[in-house]
Amino acid sequence: MIVVLDFGSQYTHLIKVAFDSIGVPTEIVPADLKYRDYVRDGGRQLKGVVFSGGASSVKLNEIAFDRDWLETGLPVLGLCYGHQLLASLYGGSVGKEQSEFGDTKVDVLETGELFAGVEQRQITVWMSHNDSVLSVPDAFRVIARSASGAIAALEDPKRRLYSLQFHPEVSHTESGTAMLSNFALRICGAQPAQKWTPQAFVEQRIPEIRAFVKDRRIIVGLSGGVDSYVMTKLIRRSVDKDQLVAIYVDSGLMPTQTEFEVERFCADNDIHLQIIREADRFFGDLTGVTESFQKCKVIGKAFIDAFEVVAKQQRAEVFAQGTIWSDVVESGVTKFSSQIKPHHNVGGLPERLNFDMLEPLRYLFKDQVRKIGAYFDLPDYVVHKKVFPGPGFAIRVQGEVTRERVALVRQSTEIVEDVINNSPVSRDVWMAFSILVDVPSLGVKGDKHVKNEQAIVIRAVESTNSMTANFSRKVFPYLAEISKKITDQMEIGRVVYDITDKPPATIEWQ
């Protein structure tokens, strides 16, 4: 067992996912948990400790870390914030030098134990930090530096202490899983057990769902996204047909084709479906709401109110939704995490609900959900469904949400998707969409001066699980066609392309 002390990183759960992929059991605990309490509460036979990244600064000393974790003699691996904390605890200094975000070149100076098997002397890693280690603690040695000269990796093999300024747990870091494997297997001596597989997950979850639901009726929120499709299929495999009703809420904020796909999915999988028309309610509640966090809360409440009405009609006592871990962690609900944005199905939920909540995919990431969908042999339109936000086009409209403004962003998004989805790069693009922004600009149409009151931003990213993303360069050959169609077919005179990675940006603008 390897324990991960969670200092609030957006990527902490990805550390567990990486260790799961090599078959090493992992447990995540709050960073301020005392070692004696962990042992007293039945702590497993530990082989090593990982300090995660975090949103705070080591210099602020905001998290009460128990140094007894360092007295155990167990191998320790610090990542990002954990790298800086480890250096600070052993006498090094941490301060502001040069921020680094996204893809960063790192020179491997010494192979050491962490980089065993990593053949390249320069690798691309994923950075996300403001502070850096400025001076090296005694007995530690620098084994990697970034192109800027920042200390990227440290080790003290005699005391089995290791640290990386970058994030080996994210897919963008070259040989990242190999580094974590080196720590777990070579340094800690952990023995691989069962690796995570979609089959093992399904076989474990089905009896758990049956035990939770029992003979009660259950409604599921079927939004038309891959998470809700896979969740609904999993529950259908777990309960009798007449126990389950899928609910699609027509909020007026969704893509045109979603309702048709939902109807097709339920017909193909022998699932009862009820469609609720609530567009007037959603647009009414959003009147005058301009702030994005508040939009999510308004939309979350409107969804839950609709589900509660249906639950009463259906005499259902259980409600299921397709929440996944990226929704949870970005909503800032773990102990030391920072709220990036409130997801409508997490941060937008009311405190009290009139039914029991079931979220069978809560601790998974999007790529794992897709693997389960493939295991279920679900069709391509489900497994490879492009990601779409639960609040719909409301968070792709800057300012107040109206039917007219939603119609604009819907039409422009359909143009973007039509071009990209019919191109050879479709499978490489995680999301491709448009955002309507209130940015005035000058223009000329028909030899006349015009003032454009709004602009369309095109956003296309490549990702594995939404936690990190690169803006897509592969769509460059198609941007001119997209811009031409938008400006020809719509009352839009300015189209721009967003070339920002996540981090420092989020994928969505709101």
Side-chain angles (χ1 to χ4, degrees), residues 87-252:
S88 178
L89 289 171
Y90 283 93
S93 63
V94 174
K96 180 80 171 176
E97 187 175 51
Q98 179 173 334
S99 300
E100 294 173 306
F101 295 99
D103 288 333
T104 304
K105 298 293 184 183
V106 162
D107 293 316
V108 178
L109 308 178
E110 296 185 41
T111 300
E113 293 181 277
L114 274 184
F115 295 125
V118 178
E119 296 181 358
Q120 309 98 308
R121 294 298 86 192
Q122 186 178 77
I123 56 176
T124 300
V125 304
W126 195 257
M127 292 282 195
S128 184
H129 70 99
N130 285 307
D131 291 343
S132 302
V133 174
L134 302 181
S135 65
V136 181
D138 292 341
F140 282 78
R141 64 186 184 211
V142 179
I143 59 173
R145 288 185 181 273
S146 68
S148 69
I151 296 170
L154 293 169
E155 71 170 10
D156 177 353
K158 185 175 181 180
R159 288 182 289 186
R160 299 195 295 176
L161 303 174
Y162 305 85
S163 65
L164 301 171
Q165 179 60 77
F166 55 88
H167 290 274
E169 68 271 28
V170 306
S171 59
H172 298 273
T173 294
E174 294 176 346
S175 303
T177 301
M179 298 172 204
L180 293 174
S181 180
N182 285 336
F183 177 73
L185 305 182
R186 293 172 60 98
I187 296 170
C188 298
Q191 296 299 314
Q194 183 182 25
K195 297 181 180 180
W196 186 93
T197 66
Q199 180 178 349
F201 175 85
V202 170
E203 290 174 351
Q204 177 186 351
R205 277 293 181 269
I206 286 177
E208 292 174 351
I209 292 170
R210 287 172 178 164
F212 183 85
V213 177
K214 300 184 175 66
D215 60 353
R216 297 182 292 175
R217 288 177 62 79
I218 176 172
I219 60 172
V220 299
L222 184 53
S223 68
V226 62
D227 306 328
S228 68
Y229 280 133
V230 171
M231 175 270 302
T232 303
K233 179 69 174 182
L234 175 61
I235 292 175
R236 177 64 184 91
R237 283 213 175 175
S238 306
V239 303
D240 293 337
K241 174 182 177 180
D242 289 336
Q243 281 183 269
L244 173 66
V245 179
I247 309 299
Y248 176 72
V249 178
D250 173 16
S251 64

Side-chain angles (χ1 to χ4, degrees), residues 243-499:
Q243 281 183 269
L244 173 66
V245 179
I247 309 299
Y248 176 72
V249 178
D250 173 16
S251 64
L253 302 170
M254 303 300 287
T256 305
Q257 75 278 10
T258 302
E259 184 174 321
F260 303 107
E261 291 176 351
V262 165
E263 291 176 323
R264 174 184 172 189
F265 174 83
C266 289
D268 290 346
N269 290 277
D270 198 26
I271 295 169
H272 294 301
L273 171 65
Q274 184 173 347
I275 297 175
I276 310 298
R277 306 294 178 190
E278 290 287 328
D280 289 344
R281 158 74 190 272
F282 276 81
F283 281 108
D285 289 356
L286 287 167
T287 300
V289 178
T290 59
E291 201 274 324
S292 58
F293 280 30
Q294 189 60 29
K295 288 180 187 178
C296 287
K297 290 185 179 296
V298 168
I299 291 168
K301 184 178 186 306
F303 271 119
I304 288 299
D305 286 350
F307 290 135
E308 286 184 335
V309 170
V310 177
K312 188 174 182 180
Q313 294 171 349
Q314 296 285 345
R315 297 182 180 178
E317 299 177 45
V318 182
F319 170 68
Q321 62 178 4
T323 305
I324 61 174
W325 190 249
S326 56
D327 302 334
V328 176
V329 72
E330 287 190 334
S331 294
V333 299
T334 58
K335 188 167 186 179
F336 296 112
S337 61
S338 174
Q339 187 183 64
I340 305 302
K341 58 180 181 179
H343 287 253
H344 78 289
N345 56 343
V346 183
L349 293 179
E351 292 184 8
R352 298 185 65 180
L353 301 172
N354 293 326
F355 35 60
D356 291 339
M357 179 75 79
L358 176 63
E359 297 175 315
L361 308 180
R362 185 178 178 89
Y363 295 103
L364 300 183
F365 285 95
K366 188 78 70 178
D367 54 325
Q368 294 174 303
V369 174
R370 293 194 197 278
K371 290 175 182 177
I372 296 170
Y375 170 73
F376 282 149
D377 200 26
L378 293 176
D380 185 78
Y381 79 87
V382 171
V383 176
H384 297 290
K385 179 84 172 178
K386 298 296 186 189
V387 178
F388 187 79
F393 290 117
I395 62 168
R396 293 180 179 171
V397 171
Q398 183 183 28
E400 185 174 8
V401 179
T402 66
R403 292 179 187 270
E404 294 74 22
R405 289 161 69 82
V406 166
L408 285 173
V409 78
R410 179 184 285 116
Q411 182 181 356
S412 57
T413 294
E414 288 175 352
I415 292 171
V416 172
E417 291 179 340
D418 179 64
V419 173
I420 299 301
N421 292 349
N422 289 295
S423 75
V425 304
S426 176
R427 286 288 181 88
D428 299 320
V429 177
W430 181 260
M431 298 171 72
F433 58 93
S434 68
I435 307 114
L436 181 69
V437 295
D438 294 326
V439 177
S441 63
L442 297 180
V444 56
K445 280 189 174 182
D447 296 324
K448 289 184 179 181
H449 162 95
V450 294
K451 182 178 181 182
N452 303 305
E453 297 295 342
Q454 299 163 318
I456 288 290
V457 178
I458 307 301
R459 181 83 160 132
V461 299
E462 297 168 24
S463 181
T464 301
N465 48 42
S466 287
M467 298 304 297
T468 57
N470 295 112
F471 75 87
S472 177
R473 294 165 173 81
K474 294 178 181 178
V475 303
F476 284 177
Y478 308 99
L479 294 178
E481 180 183 356
I482 291 170
S483 178
K484 181 76 162 60
K485 287 184 174 181
I486 289 175
T487 53
D488 281 357
Q489 298 174 25
M490 302 175 59
E491 292 299 317
I492 294 292
R494 181 77 61 179
V495 178
V496 299
Y497 184 60
D498 184 345
I499 58 169

